[in-house]
Amino acid sequence: MTTTAAEVEEGTDTPYELSHLDALESEAVHIFREVAGEFERPVVLFSGGKDSIVMLHLALKAFAPAAVPFSLLHVDTGHNFPEVLEYRDRTVEKHGLRLHVASVQDYIDRGVLKERPDGTRNPLQTLPLTEKIQAEKFDAVFGGGRRDEEKARAKERVFSLRDEFSQWDPRRQRPELWNLYNGRHAPGEHVRVFPLSNWTELDVWQYIAREGIELPEIYFAHEREVFRRAGMWLTAGEWGGPKDTETVEKRQVRYRTVGDMSCTGAVDSDATTLDAVITEIAASRLTERGATRADDKMSEAAMEDRKREGYF
Amino acid sequence: MSTLTTEELSETTLLRFATAGSVDDGKSTLVGRLLHDSKSILTDQLEAVERASASRGQEAPDLALLTDGLRAEREQGITIDVAYRYFATPRRRFILADTPGHVQYTRNMVTGASTAELTVILVDARNGVVEQTRRHAAIAALLRVPHVVLAVNKMDLVDYQETVFAGIAEEFTAYATELGVPEVTAIPISALAGDNVVEPSANMDWYGGPTFLEHLESVPVAHDLSHCHARLPVQYVIRPQTSEHPDYRGYAGQIAAGSFRVGEQVTVLPSGSSTKISGIDLLGTPVDIAWTTQSVTLLLEDDIDISRGDLIVPSKDAPPTTQDIEATVCHVADAPLTVGHRVLLKHGTRTVKAIVKDIPSRLTLDDLSLHPHPGQLVANDIGRVKIRTAEPLPVDSYADSRRTGSFILIDPNDGTTLTAGMVGESFASPEPVKDAAEDDGWDF
């Protein structure tokens, strides 16, 4: 807000302009309220990562002073950063929210899913997620996906219809006109909703800074035991690293994204504050996924393929 | 981007713009050039393109791979659907609705233009204003995009001649002005060579205007509210019912047009009840005034019956409510729209049952001629329709308000978005067409 009411009173011809963050915030809030107005059982995907934290913050603002009318859903890979799980539980309790958990480990223990040779569990999240959606009869599922993340996501609608198998068909998407979102769906189908569609990584960080939103510590530079694999610094852990040829060393790093430990890499950094993080990102010549996500490099269409199956 | 400070980054504004593409006009090159020269393509994205290009045996990186996001698009070398892209300069953030130039151009351009404050229409300097250019101008006029840029591309192929550019700019501006396009900015460029895209061209010293990017950075996006009708479609009623807020009852929504102030007398439509604004919450913070596109919560003095779908307006400036809507529409679904079709109509936050009573005419975009009583509208058709709604709706003319003058039609059976609608007259001039031979020129 750069214009105060006092300034406005002085000249009635003052043109009114929102800053880009205010415009994005207002649009996201509009999307949250549309879903609250039109759906029966919405849920917010919440991983404890920065995008879902921003989503929750926006939802809190959208319905203030009332409570957020949605529950949260976390797809737990079993390879989560302990700091992030701690943050997740603390946040849920602080706001008096209900958290649903879909556990990849459960599926592996039951023999429904099989551990991959590379130990990566990101692709294994799809089945627990979609079965949870069906079981709980969620009809709108908020995701923190942004179109700037990946070129398949650049094609994603804000309201994205998924069939009864949770599949995305990019060729059968509804055109989105003005801000008239169409949430119609048949029983068994659901709509994925992306309030941060038009945000970029930098917008998210600037918004976090402006709003003073608390984040898990792993987003800031800290000393950590890591080892090198496929050009990335991975955190050592019970999930399967390091292997014989890999050596652990202590480095000052931070994370740009939060995901499964087996495929989310840290970057060397001395950014210990939000300002330093923003400066670092503004200067970076790598996208956050390029820098830190192994699973997106699997093939040119890795994201599209997983999204088609029901991944977020 | 690397030189920006945190403060500079925060004080920018947002411009949404759309490109109107036709095949071979150089749109992909322009988008690629814009992203590349504004340093918005990051190393790993470029490497991915280089990798993919090399694996296909291509010698040079194919920049179209940057924007073609879907497997089918890459395999077929075509662009299927609207994609949204993001880039930033120290002065502004940009959301680009990148619309493909292929068969389904009309609905895609309508989709992209519906949220755009600026549309870029590209022409090839060698060909000048062609049928497709006129079509693009007509859609921009129809959608009332506030700013239109004519990018005269491939100037390098006409020896950077000023006369070529001036001739095209003059012809286009005259045509667009007749359609009611409020502002046209013509810029001579070469997307391939980079002339006047981001950097000023040394080859066209006769051109004194801004580069393409400079224009995007400086075009005004602020709302002048002095002539706007204030409108708030109610999205959601916020009632905490907690010990801290036992009586709080707020009407949440995104202001569609104009501004609201505390103390203002307002009327709720369609019921017609009036009261005063006792408070405005801007996402948890009380304010005295709020304006277009802000998401707010209004508190009212009297406890009147208001729910989702209602429209709050200033009592002195209320739109009429009607069950009979006449509009220009663009049909976006594959199945046709016919007279007698029972549909759902979403206007603002209200969805009502409706029936298509008549389709008086279909517009031929090429020459803006009207084909009377076409019987139906098929995908990509633009036409006039008369719709009867099951409940009265407070609609504005699209010319007055893009938000409260627009609607979509939805298939009640499968939820398909059928049609994009704009209430009222379609072009500034009530008689846009003067076709001497009334029976000629229609395409069936």
Side-chain angles (χ1 to χ4, degrees):
Chain A
M1 263 350 60
T2 49
T3 312
T4 65
E7 283 165 352
V8 164
E9 294 297 337
E10 280 171 22
T12 47
D13 291 334
T14 318
Y16 297 80
E17 190 167 295
L18 300 187
S19 75
H20 79 282
L21 283 182
D22 287 329
L24 292 172
E25 178 187 61
S26 180
E27 178 182 67
V29 164
H30 173 257
I31 292 161
F32 274 108
R33 289 168 168 176
E34 278 300 280
V35 170
E38 296 216 327
F39 291 82
E40 296 291 324
R41 279 182 66 79
V43 71
V44 180
L45 290 175
F46 187 78
S47 64
K50 65 181 186 305
D51 298 308
S52 59
I53 290 170
V54 165
M55 277 208 298
L56 179 58
H57 182 84
L58 288 162
L60 287 162
K61 288 186 92 168
F63 301 100
V68 174
F70 314 123
S71 54
L72 305 183
L73 168 59
H74 182 215
V75 182
D76 185 342
T77 62
H79 289 162
N80 292 293
F81 295 92
E83 302 95 317
V84 177
L85 285 185
E86 185 272 326
Y87 179 96
R88 177 195 78 179
D89 294 337
R90 189 155 43 86
T91 304
V92 166
E93 192 172 325
K94 179 175 158 191
H95 300 296
L97 297 161
R98 175 163 179 219
L99 176 75
H100 305 267
V101 178
S103 161
V104 173
Q105 189 63 54
D106 279 358
Y107 277 73
I108 293 173
D109 293 345
R110 284 175 12 227
V112 181
L113 285 175
K114 197 162 169 271
E115 192 90 75
R116 295 160 50 100
D118 61 5
T120 294
R121 287 185 171 181
N122 259 10
L124 303 184
Q125 293 179 80
T126 303
L127 188 68
L129 168 69
T130 55
E131 289 200 348
K132 193 68 162 180
I133 290 170
Q134 301 295 338
E136 295 284 341
K137 296 188 167 35
F138 293 128
D139 55 359
V141 181
F142 286 101
R146 308 188 317 263
R147 291 182 184 132
D148 82 317
E149 284 179 274
E150 212 273 338
K151 54 195 171 182
R153 283 209 164 140
K155 301 270 174 178
E156 181 70 85
R157 297 293 181 265
V158 174
F159 272 41
S160 184
L161 184 67
R162 302 299 160 105
D163 68 13
E164 58 190 311
F165 301 100
S166 297
Q167 297 178 118
W168 182 59
D169 184 350
R171 285 182 175 238
R172 291 189 59 241
Q173 299 194 90
R174 294 169 176 166
E176 266 175 0
L177 298 137
W178 299 284
N179 64 341
L180 296 169
Y181 301 111
N182 176 357
R184 294 270 146 182
H185 60 282
E189 295 178 340
H190 70 276
V191 175
R192 296 280 171 90
V193 183
F194 302 100
L196 306 184
S197 282
N198 287 321
W199 298 48
T200 64
E201 182 189 14
L202 199 52
D203 295 329
V204 168
W205 279 106
Q206 283 181 254
Y207 188 71
I208 288 167
R210 187 185 90 168
E211 300 286 303
I213 300 169
E214 190 203 340
L215 289 183
E217 283 304 312
I218 66 169
Y219 280 115
F220 300 96
H222 57 290
E223 292 260 317
R224 195 174 190 96
E225 291 204 327
V226 290
F227 65 93
R228 197 85 175 150
R229 182 183 291 175
M232 294 190 311
W233 294 112
L234 297 181
T235 294
E238 287 175 9
W239 58 269
K243 287 179 183 157
D244 303 344
T245 54
E246 297 161 337
T247 50
V248 170
E249 57 183 291
K250 206 163 208 177
R251 296 185 74 88
Q252 178 158 307
V253 295
R254 64 176 201 87
Y255 283 85
R256 282 176 76 176
T257 64
V258 160
D260 188 69
M261 281 172 92
S262 62
C263 61
T264 306
V267 292
D268 288 315
S269 171
D270 51 16
T272 53
T273 64
L274 275 170
D275 270 0
V277 168
I278 290 170
T279 306
E280 194 176 279
I281 290 186
S284 171
R285 301 307 304 154
L286 289 177
T287 66
E288 60 181 295
R289 293 204 159 254
T292 66
R293 285 297 180 93
D295 48 334
D296 290 341
K297 295 180 183 166
M298 285 177 189
S299 86
E300 210 182 331
M303 175 65 82
E304 179 185 348
D305 292 344
R306 271 182 291 146
K307 276 165 63 67
R308 278 175 179 275
E309 289 166 15
Y311 188 78
F312 33 87
Chain B
M1 298 227 335
S2 53
T3 53
L4 300 192
T5 67
T6 310
E7 270 166 28
E8 281 171 333
L9 286 165
S10 296
E11 291 184 4
T12 54
T13 52
L14 188 64
L15 178 76
R16 290 168 199 252
F17 73 106
T19 54
S22 37
V23 189
D24 296 333
D25 62 7
K27 187 176 70 73
S28 301
T29 318
L30 177 62
V31 172
R33 171 65 63 187
L34 209 51
L35 296 176
H36 184 268
D37 288 7
S38 65
K39 301 188 171 55
S40 304
I41 298 171
L42 299 182
T43 313
D44 56 313
Q45 294 171 317
L46 206 55
E47 280 170 4
V49 166
E50 282 165 0
R51 243 189 344 260
S53 305
S55 74
R56 274 152 226 246
Q58 290 165 310
E59 279 175 19
D62 179 359
L63 285 181
L65 294 174
L66 272 174
T67 52
D68 285 343
L70 302 174
R71 185 187 288 276
E73 291 178 320
R74 287 190 296 274
E75 284 166 2
Q76 298 168 36
I78 58 160
T79 311
I80 290 171
D81 207 338
V82 183
Y84 295 86
R85 315 200 179 281
Y86 305 83
F87 64 99
T89 68
R91 296 172 70 181
R92 196 166 258 183
R93 298 302 182 89
F94 300 96
I95 299 176
L96 163 59
D98 188 8
T99 67
H102 275 268
V103 203
Q104 301 139 339
Y105 55 82
T106 307
R107 61 180 164 196
N108 286 327
M109 189 179 159
V110 167
T111 302
S114 72
T115 53
E117 286 146 308
L118 179 147
T119 288
V120 183
I121 297 174
L122 268 160
V123 299
D124 184 327
R126 294 169 301 176
N127 305 327
V129 174
V130 295
E131 199 177 291
Q132 184 81 328
T133 318
R134 282 193 288 271
R135 216 175 270 153
H136 291 154
I139 297 171
L142 198 66
L143 270 288
R144 308 233 172 220
V145 181
H147 307 279
V148 169
V149 172
L150 176 76
V152 181
N153 191 22
K154 307 195 185 181
M155 286 298 293
D156 52 318
L157 300 182
V158 295
D159 296 329
Y160 297 107
Q161 289 178 72
E162 183 177 8
T163 49
V164 174
F165 168 73
I168 296 170
E170 195 179 333
E171 185 185 349
F172 180 85
T173 305
Y175 184 77
T177 305
E178 202 183 324
L179 292 173
V181 171
E183 186 195 277
V184 175
T185 304
I187 303 173
I189 64 166
S190 167
L192 194 67
D195 294 283
N196 287 339
V197 177
V198 173
E199 301 295 332
S201 169
N203 297 311
M204 291 180 274
D205 49 12
W206 46 263
Y207 173 72
T211 66
F212 183 63
L213 185 63
E214 277 167 6
H215 181 66
L216 292 179
E217 285 182 317
S218 56
V219 82
V221 293
H223 298 277
D224 176 9
L225 306 176
S226 44
H227 307 293
C228 280
H229 313 284
R231 303 286 185 254
L232 181 84
V234 176
Q235 279 191 288
Y236 194 75
V237 182
I238 294 176
R239 289 197 312 139
Q241 294 175 298
T242 55
S243 52
E244 204 183 332
H245 303 280
D247 303 316
Y248 187 102
R249 194 180 169 87
Y251 303 98
Q254 188 176 27
I255 298 176
S259 63
F260 289 92
R261 287 164 190 269
V262 173
E264 196 173 359
Q265 182 85 24
V266 290
T267 296
V268 181
L269 297 172
S271 77
S273 319
S274 289
T275 181
K276 267 190 183 164
I277 298 175
S278 59
I280 303 175
D281 275 355
L282 182 66
L283 307 181
T285 308
V287 293
D288 296 332
I289 180 169
W291 60 89
T292 310
T293 77
Q294 287 187 324
S295 279
V296 296
T297 307
L298 294 191
L299 303 166
L300 304 177
E301 273 184 9
D302 303 298
D303 215 358
I304 51 181
D305 180 22
I306 306 175
S307 55
R308 174 173 169 84
D310 288 346
L311 187 71
I312 300 179
V313 301
S315 298
K316 60 180 181 342
D317 180 25
T321 59
T322 178
Q323 284 181 260
D324 293 291
I325 293 173
E326 213 177 323
T328 300
V329 301
C330 174
H331 191 60
V332 296
D334 289 328
L337 186 77
T338 54
V339 174
H341 215 126
R342 287 179 185 277
V343 293
L344 295 170
L345 184 151
K346 184 170 185 185
H347 170 255
T349 53
R350 193 181 200 75
T351 304
V352 299
K353 287 182 183 175
I355 185 163
V356 179
K357 297 297 275 188
D358 192 16
I359 303 179
S361 59
R362 181 169 56 81
L363 184 71
T364 305
L365 275 176
D366 308 342
D367 61 357
L368 300 180
S369 63
L370 294 168
H371 178 110
H373 301 290
Q376 63 174 21
L377 296 176
V378 301
N380 297 306
D381 274 356
I382 286 176
R384 300 282 297 165
V385 298
K386 290 181 178 175
I387 298 165
R388 172 85 179 166
T389 58
E391 296 164 46
L393 291 178
V395 291
D396 284 299
S397 163
Y398 187 77
D400 289 338
S401 167
R402 290 173 89 191
R403 282 274 172 97
T404 49
S406 58
F407 61 84
I408 55 172
L409 299 183
I410 298 169
D411 186 327
N413 298 315
D414 62 6
T416 305
T417 299
L418 298 171
T419 308
M422 292 153 278
V423 178
E425 296 291 339
S426 57
F427 293 100
S429 143
E431 283 180 284
V433 193
K434 288 187 194 71
D435 194 352
E438 276 190 24
D439 295 325
D440 294 341
W442 298 337
D443 48 7
F444 63 79

